[in-house]
């Protein structure tokens, strides 16, 4: 286990406020992670059987679950945040101001140097050709998802992968694709970044990014809406979201898209390319 203590040493209520904010941010990030994994599962139906097996082997996202332990030390009541120790090569995959892991930059550069129209062989030699769907009736889904506070977080639109051969689905692309996914699936209201943790391949062959300590950017329009509608308690998105000082708002979102290059991972999830100036 790993213990994390706030900088407000000796201030019980300040410590607890810090820990609550940390846990709330990580819980919301975990919700986006579950949706990301579900979207990958949903994308399978667009492909043939061999390709579906390949997609099931692509990396998933998991944010580890923290807890707060209260104790008394030298007569002083205090609380400490505890979470599971991550075994493996701990890395920062992106930051809250546009940093991208060097491995991703290198892979994207190699892809660009190949030129448009060049086909890269898929991992394990699997042809990821999209197959046409039948005329089956689609299941009805809700237009929106809400957290316990009634906040509209997710756009529940169906995943529609882009066309192509998907010859460059590298494991290293998925953290960046997840940040992009969190922006698009929250209707541009939020973005989960500062992704850090451990990538591992499990005994059953499944791949997993186990992450902790994320940052969530909140779009500035939510802050403006909160100020305008504080008196209206019935407003769902008017509630104030507090993600702490690392929330850079629209500036952080713009910084992400200034360095982000969409890859086959984004295309598999049906994500749209975003110009930083349009955020």
């Amino acid at each position: 286990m790993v213990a994390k203590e706030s900088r407000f040493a000796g201030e019980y209520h300040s410590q607890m406020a810090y820990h609550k904010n940390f846990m709330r941010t990580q819980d919301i990030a975990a919700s986006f992670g579950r949706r990301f994994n579900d979207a990958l599962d949903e994308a399978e139906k667009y492909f043939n059987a061999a390709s579906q097996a390949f997609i099931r082997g692509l990396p998933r996202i998991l944010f580890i679950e923290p807890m707060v332990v209260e104790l008394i030390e030298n007569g002083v009541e205090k609380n400490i945040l505890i979470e599971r120790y991550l075994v493996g090569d701990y890395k920062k995959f992106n930051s809250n101001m546009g940093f991208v892991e060097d491995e991703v930059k290198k892979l994207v550069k190699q892809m660009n140097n190949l030129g448009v129209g060049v086909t890269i062989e898929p991992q394990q030699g699997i042809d990821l050709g999209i197959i046409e769907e039948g005329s089956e009736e689609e299941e009805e889904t809700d237009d929106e998802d809400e957290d316990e506070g009634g906040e509209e977080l997710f756009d529940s639109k169906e995943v529609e992968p882009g066309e192509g051969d998907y010859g460059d689905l590298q494991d290293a692309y998925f953290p960046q694709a997840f940040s992009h996914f969190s922006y698009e699936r929250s209707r541009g209201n939020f973005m989960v970044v500062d992704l850090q943790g451990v990538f591992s391949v499990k005994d059953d062959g499944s791949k997993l990014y186990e992450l902790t300590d994320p940052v969530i950017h909140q779009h500035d329009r939510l802050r403006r809406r909160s100020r305008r509608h504080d008196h209206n308690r019935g407003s769902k998105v008017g509630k104030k979201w507090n993600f702490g000082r690392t929330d850079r708002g629209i500036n952080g979102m713009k910084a992400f898209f200034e360095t982000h290059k969409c890859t086959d991972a984004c295309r598999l999830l049906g994500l749209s390319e975003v110009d930083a100036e349009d955020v």
Side-chain angles (χ1 to χ4, degrees), residues 234-260:
S235 175
K236 289 182 179 178
V237 293
K239 179 182 175 183
K240 292 181 180 178
W241 294 84
N242 177 22
F243 296 117
R245 296 181 179 180
T246 53
D247 173 5
R248 302 299 185 186
I250 191 173
N251 290 330
M253 292 177 172
K254 285 180 179 289
F256 172 83
F257 284 115
E258 283 171 356
T259 58
H260 175 60

Side-chain angles (χ1 to χ4, degrees), residues 15 24 60 82 91 106 120 144 146 170 201 214 223 226 242 244 259 270 277:
Q15 286 179 338
R24 184 168 177 269
R60 267 49 176 182
I82 293 178
K91 289 183 178 180
K106 187 166 110 177
I120 309 171
E144 62 195 28
E146 301 176 355
Q170 305 286 343
V201 180
R223 293 188 178 92
S226 292
N242 177 22
T259 58
E277 295 304 314

Side-chain angles (χ1 to χ4, degrees), residues 58-245:
L58 294 174
R60 267 49 176 182
I61 298 289
L62 174 70
F63 286 88
I64 60 177
E65 185 175 354
M67 67 178 71
V68 173
V69 175
E70 296 182 279
L71 52 86
I72 296 177
E73 186 177 75
N74 297 325
V76 178
E77 193 173 13
K78 62 190 302 185
N79 49 75
I80 298 175
L81 188 78
I82 293 178
E83 57 184 21
R84 177 168 53 85
Y85 177 73
L86 292 175
V87 179
D89 186 12
Y90 193 97
K91 289 183 178 180
K92 181 182 281 286
F93 303 105
N94 65 22
S95 76
N96 65 335
M97 283 304 289
F99 164 82
V100 183
E101 184 192 10
D102 288 340
E103 181 182 356
V104 177
K105 292 180 182 177
K106 187 166 110 177
L107 287 169
V108 171
K109 184 176 180 180
Q110 289 173 348
M111 179 180 68
N112 291 340
N113 288 341
L114 290 172
V116 177
V118 175
T119 299
I120 309 171
E121 287 300 319
Q123 298 180 33
Q124 302 176 10
I126 294 176
D127 178 16
L128 292 181
I130 289 183
I131 58 176
E132 292 295 327
E133 288 237 274
S135 58
E136 299 176 359
E137 293 183 4
E138 297 180 357
E139 294 182 3
E140 293 184 4
T141 58
D142 296 332
D143 292 333
E144 62 195 28
D145 288 87
E146 301 176 355
D147 71 354
E148 292 180 355
E151 298 291 337
E152 298 173 5
L153 287 179
F154 301 111
D155 183 341
S156 57
K157 70 178 182 180
E158 185 175 343
V159 173
E160 294 184 11
E163 295 182 358
D165 57 21
Y166 291 88
D168 190 40
L169 272 171
Q170 305 286 343
D171 296 336
Y173 294 157
F174 283 80
Q176 286 292 99
F178 169 70
S179 292
H180 185 173
F181 175 89
S182 67
Y183 174 83
E184 185 160 317
R185 280 304 177 94
S186 67
R187 304 180 177 94
N189 289 318
F190 303 104
M191 176 185 283
V192 184
V193 290
D194 203 23
L195 303 181
Q196 53 194 301
V198 171
F199 172 73
S200 60
V201 180
K202 305 302 181 183
D203 292 338
D204 61 1
S206 61
K207 300 172 184 177
L208 188 64
Y209 281 97
E210 295 178 280
L211 305 174
T212 184
D213 222 352
V215 167
I216 298 181
H217 295 317
Q218 171 191 185
H219 199 285
D220 294 0
R221 61 174 165 262
L222 290 188
R223 293 188 178 92
R224 292 193 296 268
R225 201 174 303 171
S226 292
R227 289 193 290 269
R228 288 198 305 267
H229 298 291
D230 271 347
H231 65 283
N232 184 3
R233 295 185 180 274
S235 175
K236 289 182 179 178
V237 293
K239 179 182 175 183
K240 292 181 180 178
W241 294 84
N242 177 22
F243 296 117
R245 296 181 179 180

